[in-house]
Amino acid sequence: MTNSFPIAFEKRMQQRLGKEFDVFKEKHQTPSPTSIRMHTLKEGNTNLPIDEKISWTESGYYLKERPSFTLDPVFHAGAYYVQEASSMFLEQALKQSVDLTASLRVLDLCAAPGGKSTHLLNLISEDALLISNEVIRSRASILSENIQKWGSANVVVTNNDPEHFQKLSGFFDVMVVDAPCSGEGLFRKDAAAMNEWSEDNVALCSQRQRRILSDVWPALKENGILIYCTCTFSEEENENNLAWMSSGHDVEFIELAVASFPGIETIRKEGTVGYRFYPHNVNGEGFFISVMRKKNTQQPVRARGKKVFNTPSKKVLEQLDHWVKSSKQFRFLQQDDLILMLPALHYEEIEFLSQQLHIVSKGTAVAEVKHEKLIPEHAFALSVHLDRSHFKVIDLTLEQALAYLRKENLMLAEGERGFALVAYQNYPIGWVNLLGNRINNLYPSSWRIRMSS
Ligand code: SAM
């Protein structure tokens, strides 16, 4: 950390932490741990410098050092997500409060760039549906890209303001509100964040968080679970907001078993409970999380709308049948020339949602149709539902994989024709079109990496 703490922040933390403050401050002079979370449904090999497992998640690891993720093709295969360790505690919050085998409707309200959403997709059942929302348009595009890389079909990315969810009365079983905050917990990782800090900004964030919570609350079912989290320490944005929720809403706070995770502090205030993570007490950044259950009745919306989705032709559907594993679990729709796959179980709900929300992407884009022939979409190469046995798979060396990701011409001695998957360490990274004497690199131009080795 090069900058020093803002004076008013230092005073607050001194008051709160007393003698512990010096340890807290010293910890800010040490580097932040680098951590990743592995995709639980993709299989292959990684060269990551894995160190210890993160105790509160099944799939998170600290790394011994920070590699260049851009130059790791496995990263581009969506095989892992680079994520701060404390925020992976979401896994405990969910496992301890929700039946994750159920066909849940889950909303991640403040979702970009996608850390919690990709985690949620590995925690919920394939029968569940995730709505991953981000209000800022440019950030919603990044979110959609990260969701595509993750390769799940049971997800819809939306670009809506929290208040737009009020139309969906009692629709969701679970909501995650990872609220925009003053970011005090990230000062070690991003010293520049200190320049944005002020007492006024803390107050502003707190007011905004209350507005977000009250806007979205009607969309939660009776007995539904809302997980509230921030990456800040201030009482105004954490326990005071919980107390405010408790005073104006019929809500029950859920106790989490944290004894086996030393260093996490339990915060109680006016009948509420939350959990605070300090970087000097846990191996991660600052974080706060609380789980609440909605007790008041909420009349659920009738999730039926007009039929607006178009089914592809029979000939197209027959081809798709071979492309997708367990294809009966999905329904396909055609939007102009694009074929998308959606979970059959949620097809009508998604059709309904498409008339209520601003949808950025839904399910998985499988192919583009040209004269009833299918050209595979990049997102489908990264899909966990792709039937690999139907396609030729070409294993690339590291050098070839990086050339592919830079969208350079590939020199592969092939001679065959047709679409083929290219893979690195067993993870598919995209498509090529084999043209006999040459190869077309189908990697999306906008995703091309520009870094040299
Ligand atoms: N959940 C994300 C993850 O794990 O990758 C991080 C979310 S970040 C803490 C908070 C998000 O809230 C940002 O993407 C920000 O754009 C969004 N946001 C900002 N203002 C908002 C508002 N008024 N309502 C809802 N979301 C907002």
Side-chain angles (χ1 to χ4, degrees):
M1 190 182 77
T2 44
N3 305 17
S4 47
F5 288 146
I7 294 167
F9 172 73
E10 178 146 344
K11 253 195 192 152
R12 282 169 165 245
M13 294 312 286
Q14 259 168 346
Q15 243 169 27
R16 162 116 51 98
L17 294 171
K19 284 191 200 132
E20 249 184 83
F21 176 75
D22 289 343
V23 195
F24 170 79
K25 193 168 181 179
E26 265 164 40
K27 201 72 193 177
H28 281 75
Q29 305 299 333
T30 64
S32 298
T34 301
S35 48
I36 54 108
R37 191 171 34 71
M38 294 302 301
H39 199 308
T40 57
L41 302 170
K42 292 193 179 183
E43 277 175 32
N45 308 307
T46 74
N47 297 321
L48 290 168
I50 298 280
D51 195 4
E52 265 173 67
K53 188 172 169 299
I54 299 168
S55 60
W56 44 77
T57 157
E58 293 295 321
S59 51
Y61 298 88
Y62 298 105
L63 300 186
K64 291 186 186 127
E65 68 219 1
R66 191 178 179 89
S68 166
F69 295 113
T70 308
L71 295 179
D72 181 11
V74 174
F75 170 74
H76 300 277
Y80 61 88
Y81 193 94
V82 184
Q83 191 180 17
E84 190 284 301
S86 302
S87 55
M88 297 183 204
F89 196 80
L90 172 70
E91 181 164 329
Q92 288 301 321
L94 270 169
K95 284 184 172 167
Q96 294 188 32
S97 61
V98 176
D99 172 11
L100 290 169
T101 61
S103 166
L104 303 167
R105 289 172 180 165
V106 181
L107 171 65
D108 185 5
L109 183 70
C110 313
K116 310 268 180 329
S117 279
T118 52
H119 199 176
L120 284 162
L121 285 167
N122 276 176
L123 292 169
I124 59 177
S125 117
E126 278 188 4
D127 288 348
L129 177 68
L130 174 69
I131 308 302
S132 180
N133 178 69
E134 168 58 43
V135 68
I136 297 175
R137 186 181 282 250
S138 58
R139 290 178 61 82
S141 305
I142 297 165
L143 171 66
S144 173
E145 201 173 302
N146 285 331
I147 294 286
Q148 279 178 57
K149 273 194 192 161
W150 212 246
S152 303
N154 55 338
V155 53
V156 176
V157 177
T158 58
N159 172 217
N160 282 88
D161 191 278
E163 71 175 0
H164 297 163
F165 287 89
Q166 289 188 1
K167 316 182 249 202
L168 300 176
S169 172
F171 186 80
F172 293 101
D173 300 280
V174 178
M175 281 181 181
V176 176
V177 179
D178 186 16
C181 70
S182 62
E184 298 165 349
L186 299 181
F187 285 176
R188 176 169 61 158
K189 212 169 134 194
D190 176 17
M194 283 191 270
N195 302 330
E196 308 286 311
W197 192 92
S198 68
E199 302 226 292
D200 283 352
N201 192 39
V202 168
L204 198 115
C205 287
S206 169
Q207 288 308 316
R208 188 200 289 140
Q209 288 147 356
R210 290 182 184 192
R211 199 170 61 237
I212 291 173
L213 284 167
S214 57
D215 276 350
V216 84
W217 186 249
L220 187 62
K221 264 186 198 157
E222 180 177 355
N223 285 322
I225 293 291
L226 188 149
I227 299 179
Y228 177 74
C229 48
T230 71
C231 53
T232 208
F233 305 117
S234 81
E235 292 173 13
E236 294 93 319
E237 297 174 75
N238 294 317
E239 54 267 47
N240 292 2
N241 277 352
L242 301 188
W244 171 83
M245 273 302 286
S246 161
S247 66
H249 305 78
D250 199 357
V251 41
E252 172 195 3
F253 283 79
I254 297 186
E255 293 269 345
L256 301 178
V258 291
S260 50
F261 310 114
I264 300 174
E265 195 180 325
T266 303
I267 309 286
R268 294 180 198 284
K269 181 164 188 170
E270 297 168 23
T272 74
V273 60
Y275 301 87
R276 178 137 49 226
F277 296 60
Y278 284 116
H280 63 289
N281 289 335
V282 299
N283 196 6
E285 303 308 313
F287 187 59
F288 182 90
I289 191 162
S290 174
V291 183
M292 42 194 124
R293 177 176 283 124
K294 178 169 180 168
K295 298 307 292 173
N296 59 288
T297 51
Q298 183 82 48
Q299 198 59 35
V301 67
R302 199 165 164 266
R304 290 271 158 141
K306 280 189 267 172
K307 303 267 168 259
V308 288
F309 288 168
N310 295 321
T311 310
S313 70
K314 207 168 156 213
K315 201 165 163 196
V316 165
L317 286 174
E318 275 166 11
Q319 293 178 70
L320 290 168
D321 209 28
H322 304 291
W323 284 29
V324 176
K325 280 187 284 184
S326 313
S327 60
K328 297 286 170 286
Q329 289 173 18
F330 301 96
R331 270 179 77 181
F332 299 91
L333 73 107
Q334 182 161 352
Q335 217 170 269
D336 300 322
D337 290 339
L338 188 67
I339 306 286
L340 299 161
M341 63 188 266
L342 301 179
L345 212 55
H346 297 285
Y347 185 91
E348 271 127 21
E349 267 160 70
I350 298 173
E351 197 167 35
F352 163 73
L353 290 174
S354 75
Q355 294 161 62
Q356 308 293 324
L357 299 172
H358 179 231
I359 292 191
V360 179
S361 54
K362 49 185 178 287
T364 300
V366 183
E368 196 192 337
V369 194
K370 268 203 180 145
H371 312 297
E372 297 219 306
K373 280 222 166 109
L374 300 180
I375 303 166
E377 279 286 311
H378 182 68
F380 187 54
L382 309 181
S383 167
V384 297
H385 304 293
L386 163 89
D387 188 349
R388 257 195 226 201
S389 64
H390 186 72
F391 298 95
K392 180 177 172 59
V393 182
I394 305 172
D395 291 309
L396 302 182
T397 62
L398 176 62
E399 208 173 299
Q400 290 169 329
L402 289 174
Y404 175 75
L405 295 168
R406 293 192 184 104
K407 207 167 165 63
E408 291 168 0
N409 285 333
L410 285 186
M411 300 299 177
L412 300 172
E414 289 302 332
E416 287 182 49
R417 286 177 177 273
F419 296 108
L421 269 177
V422 285
Y424 177 69
Q425 313 248 86
N426 209 35
Y427 290 110
I429 56 172
W431 298 102
V432 288
N433 193 5
L434 306 174
L435 300 167
N437 52 356
R438 63 188 177 87
I439 286 171
N440 242 355
N441 182 339
L442 299 183
Y443 196 65
S445 302
S446 56
W447 289 24
R448 187 161 76 91
I449 64 170
R450 283 154 211 277
M451 192 189 268
S452 49
S453 305

